Amino acid sequence: CDPAPRLVLVIEPDERLLPGESAVVEATGLGIDRPPRHQVTWEADVGSVEPLADEPLRAVYMAPPWPTSDTIMVTVHAPNPLTAELEVEVVAPEPDPEPDPEPEPEPVTVRLLAAGDIACNPNDRDFNDGEGNEATNRCMQGRTAALAEGLGPDAVIALGDLQYGEGTYSQFMGSYHLSWGRLNDVILPILGNHELWSNPVNGYFRYFDEQGVWDRLPEGASDPERAYYAVDLGAWRVILLNTNCTDTYGNDDSVAGGCDVGSPQHAWLEGELAAADAAGRCALVAFHHPRFNSGRNGDEPLVDALWRAAHAGGADVILAADEHRYERYHPLNADGERDDEDGVPYFVVGTGGRNLYDASVPYETSAVMITGEYGLLQLDLSETGFEFEFVPAEGYTATDAGAGDCR
């Protein structure tokens, strides 16, 4: 005899649905006529189910918009009714996978070079078409310029006395321009005292104006009454001062207001350091005349107020020149005493090329003194500190290196 009819439900693709998802459910089984001769009804406990108009044994099930369990039921109303049920699970969607973490940004490190006391007078007996004289060890500005180019700096501080003897425009064009002029795209010039031997408006200021250097630097750099300014370099604020504090040469070319407490430059320096601290930036302060100097030119008391402001304001490195050699000091406090806890790392770098001074008895605070060697101070500045190295020019060998943290 024929088997008794029975009814089952199947759903495509399976019994697990997402909230709001739809699926086709089909009633099938042995002994079930197609199309059925009797009425077919569909129900669902939670979701909705609607039969297809021309296929009553098939229906579209719509899951509810939330996770739950549901039962779908179908009935064929024959003399002996046939029913079937199907349990379905409405499940929450899998959460999106956590995105891969963004890679930590590479630390931003910038390279700064510095030296002062640079270019011989083109009429100097040792100039030799810019090649210098190895026998007298003078006029080596071409070698330090070539060194700077090879080190790939982001910026170069020319720490004053850029052009000897009087810093005239013709001297700049006949010597400095032929060597360090190749660095004009990255140069940060500082006014020294030799630039004041002639009218600096017609020498120092005219030269850098015609070379387009002032176009990329703040306004104060090109103002003869100021010649102090600041720039951002990586995570650092680099502050460049004018330490021609008095009218030494009778040209009325000193910085307006001098350098003492209450002067415009002193107040500006305090403001720059406060802003750098508020912005979380390290700060480097550079000028020509060294406040402390164990060499022949000695200490410069006229810059004492600026030194103290730099120390109190949290300067992390201080640079100077004027003494024609390299000297690194232990960290110094405001009085020039060694202070390894809260002192400022301090470098005097007068090795730019013109000539070099003989050795002298170093202060107790002196860490390293290099005489007879031309070269550049290289500072690789990071977000939290610096690495330093005295890099000798071609033909020279002395080095010094180390690292420090921002205060």
Side-chain angles (χ1 to χ4, degrees), residues 305-341:
L306 297 177
W307 170 275
R308 291 180 180 276
H311 181 276
D316 300 292
V317 174
I318 296 179
L319 307 180
D322 193 51
E323 190 70 24
H324 294 204
R325 64 179 176 210
Y326 171 85
E327 190 164 14
R328 173 172 60 87
Y329 292 78
H330 294 290
L332 301 181
N333 67 13
D335 296 318
E337 301 164 340
R338 182 171 177 174
D339 182 353
D340 293 337
E341 295 297 321

Side-chain angles (χ1 to χ4, degrees), residues 374-391:
Y374 294 103
L376 303 171
L377 176 62
Q378 175 180 289
L379 291 162
D380 289 336
L381 307 175
S382 70
E383 295 177 357
T384 58
F386 61 95
E387 296 180 356
F388 70 86
E389 181 179 0
F390 179 77
V391 184

